Amino acid sequence: MTETQAKKSYPKWLPAALDYGPLIVFFLGFKFVGVFAGTAIFMAAIIAAVIISLWKIGRVAPMTWLSAFLVVGFGGLTIWLHDERFIQLKPTIIYGLLATILFIGLIRGKPMIKYVLEHAIEGVTDRGWMILSRNWALFFVAMALFNEALRATVSFDTWLTVKVWGLTLLSMAFGAANVPMLMRHGLSMEDAPKA
């Protein structure tokens, strides 16, 4: 078996599990052992996700690297300073960075989301990629603002519940809402991302 074949021989559900698993572990950790122990568990889970991704997939997605860096950094501050607000900042920073990257790409005429998705969607025209980049840039701005509104108005428990279940489902729904536009710009149903 070649190295390329070995990298592709992993269950199709594994990337999604590595993306969402640490967040679900954080949610459960918070519910059972509290915010600070839950944050430590979250940090361990994201490090484990990076290691498993390297081992099983042969690479780590850029989003996973960014998330791991911020979880470890802001998680460490949360525990050290005993202040849960730091771990709540992580989504705002991720959404803000992603929106900035996409907007810079749009200004330069380059659909940066094409690189973020790592060619998971094929057949889309350059115009389709530009529209998708714009849509996600605006969505990330809205998500950053929404996260800040949540941080300012609800308890940590409510914030985490909305973050894990509400924002995750909202992101999936937004992704699905973009499929018809992508189909008008070259995406075939065979190339459409599978849930």
Side-chain angles (χ1 to χ4, degrees), residues 7-29:
K7 287 181 182 178
K8 292 184 179 180
S9 63
Y10 56 86
K12 292 200 181 281
W13 54 264
L14 185 60
L18 294 173
D19 285 343
Y20 295 107
L23 188 58
I24 292 169
V25 166
F26 179 38
F27 178 79
L28 294 173

Side-chain angles (χ1 to χ4, degrees), residues 40-55:
I41 292 168
F42 189 22
M43 293 165 65
I46 196 77
I47 291 168
V50 167
I51 292 167
I52 292 167
S53 186
L54 282 170
W55 174 44

